[in-house]
Amino acid sequence: MNGSGDAGLRDIDLRRLRMFVVVMEAPSLRVAADNLFISQQALSSAIRELERQLGVELFSRSRRSLTPTPAGEALYRGAVPLLAGGEQLATQVRRVNAGAPAPFVIGHAPDLASSEVFRIIEPVVLADPSVPITVRPVFADFMREELLSGSIDLALGRGVSAPPDMATTIATEHELRLAVRSDHPLAAHARVDMAALAGYEIVVWGPEHEYEYTDILVGLCRRAGFEPRIILSTLLGTPPHTAVIAHPKACAFVTNEPGWIYANSIRIVEFTDPPFAPVRAMWLPNTASTLRRQILAAAEGVV
C-alpha cells in the first residue's frame, strides 16, 4: 500500500473515518453508501483515501465483497469509541455555551446498590453539592452501548466484563459478608469462616447478567477448600440480601453492615477473614472529565 504511513489523528478526515465505520457495520458497500446518502463510487474513493493516509489496507477486496483486514478490524475497534467521544464532547460544549450543562450520569450494575454508589461519590458531593449527578441502574450487558451513546458517563459494577475498546480500572473494593435468614443455623454466629458455607447452598444473581461476579464468589469458595452449591435467584432489582427470604436454607454474599435487618428476619454475619469484591469502573477511552477523575480518586478511599 503506497502512502506516507505516518498520518496522525490530526491528518485524518474524521468524515472519512465515520464513513469507514458505516462500511464496517453495513452488510455491503452499496447499503453503506445508501445509509450515507452518497454514491457507491464516492464512498469507495473515500475509503481508499483513508487507506492512503494511514498507509495500510483496511479491506481485502474481491469482486463481490469487502473483507476487513486485521488493520481494518483494529481501526474499527478504536474508531467507534473515538467518534462517540468526539460527538459527546461537541454536545457538552454546546450545552455549556447555552448555560445548561447536562448532569454527570453514573450507570451501576444491579449487583451494586445505589447506596453503595453514593458512598463512592459522597466526598465529591460534599465538596460541591451544586454538581449535578444522576445515578441509575444499567444491566452490565448494556453498559458499553450506553457509554457509546452518551446515555451514561461512567459505569460501575462488580460483575462487569470490560470490552476491549473501553477504558477501565478497579475503582475500589467492598468487604463481603453473609446474609442468612433468622432461622438459618449460621444466624447464631456473629462471625463464620468461609469453610462453614460448605454445607449450604449459595444463592447468586443469574449468570446472564452478573456472571463475572458469580465467578469471583465461586473462586472464594474454592480457595476455602470446597465446591459451592450455587442456585440462581429469581429476583431482579431487589437488594441481594432479599434472596434468602425466598431461599431460606441458602445464604448470600452481601456488603451490608453486620447485624439484624429486614425486621430482624435476616442477619448479616461477618467473616473471620473477610474477602473483598472489586468494583470496576468503565468509561469511554481518550476522553477527559474532571468530575470522573474526582469520583475515581474518591473511590480509592471507600472500602
Side-chain angles (χ1 to χ4, degrees):
M1 185 77 188
N2 294 326
S4 65
D6 59 356
L9 180 60
R10 66 181 182 277
D11 303 312
I12 297 175
D13 187 336
L14 292 182
R15 180 169 173 269
R16 292 193 183 100
L17 192 59
R18 292 190 185 92
M19 290 180 177
F20 164 77
V21 169
V22 173
V23 172
M24 287 289 291
E25 295 177 347
S28 68
L29 189 66
R30 180 186 60 79
V31 173
D34 290 344
N35 291 340
L36 291 166
F37 301 102
I38 61 175
S39 70
Q40 188 171 328
Q41 181 180 0
L43 179 56
S44 181
S45 297
I47 296 301
R48 287 192 179 278
E49 177 59 22
L50 181 61
E51 289 178 319
R52 187 196 66 79
Q53 289 181 320
L54 291 170
V56 300
E57 286 190 347
L58 299 173
F59 295 97
S60 297
R61 292 168 172 82
S62 69
R63 298 181 65 180
R64 294 187 177 182
S65 65
L66 291 179
T67 303
T69 64
E73 295 282 2
L75 180 61
Y76 176 72
R77 288 193 299 270
V80 171
L82 178 65
L83 292 173
E87 292 172 1
Q88 292 174 31
L89 177 60
T91 300
Q92 178 185 354
V93 169
R94 295 188 190 103
R95 286 181 175 273
V96 170
N97 184 64
F104 187 89
V105 182
I106 301 173
H108 66 94
D111 61 16
L112 195 66
S114 56
S115 58
E116 292 176 304
V117 177
F118 181 75
R119 285 178 55 199
I120 292 173
I121 66 174
E122 184 177 3
V124 176
V125 174
L126 292 177
D128 186 357
S130 67
V131 175
I133 299 176
T134 297
V135 175
R136 65 179 180 85
V138 177
F139 280 123
D141 291 345
F142 302 121
M143 284 182 168
R144 177 182 180 274
E145 177 183 332
E146 297 221 19
L147 285 168
L148 288 172
S149 69
S151 300
I152 61 175
D153 300 292
L154 180 67
L156 297 173
R158 272 188 272 273
V160 178
S161 296
D165 58 352
M166 294 289 111
T168 183
T169 189
I170 299 300
T172 187
E173 292 185 322
H174 288 158
E175 181 178 338
L176 290 176
R177 300 180 180 92
L178 196 68
V180 292
R181 269 189 28 164
S182 59
D183 54 354
H184 193 283
L186 294 181
H189 304 273
R191 293 175 179 269
V192 296
D193 292 327
M194 182 70 68
L197 278 59
Y200 304 102
E201 293 178 323
I202 299 173
V203 59
V204 300
W205 286 81
E208 66 271 23
H209 298 303
E210 312 302 337
Y211 52 88
E212 185 174 301
Y213 184 40
T214 300
D215 288 345
I216 292 172
L217 301 181
V218 169
L220 291 173
C221 296
R222 288 173 176 168
R223 284 194 289 275
F226 69 96
E227 189 66 27
R229 291 185 291 156
I230 299 295
I231 58 175
L232 304 181
S233 173
T234 57
L235 292 171
L236 293 177
T238 63
H241 63 258
T242 59
V244 300
I245 296 296
H247 302 278
K249 296 182 179 180
C251 47
F253 286 97
V254 298
T255 56
N256 304 68
E257 292 298 316
W260 293 97
I261 60 172
Y262 203 63
N264 292 337
S265 62
I266 297 175
R267 187 171 188 183
I268 308 301
V269 182
E270 293 184 281
F271 287 105
T272 53
D273 185 13
F276 288 81
V279 176
R280 184 180 294 279
M282 187 167 66
W283 65 94
L284 277 182
N286 305 308
T287 58
S289 168
T290 299
L291 188 55
R292 183 181 69 216
R293 186 171 62 251
Q294 292 172 342
I295 290 172
L296 293 178
E300 293 181 359
V302 177
V303 178

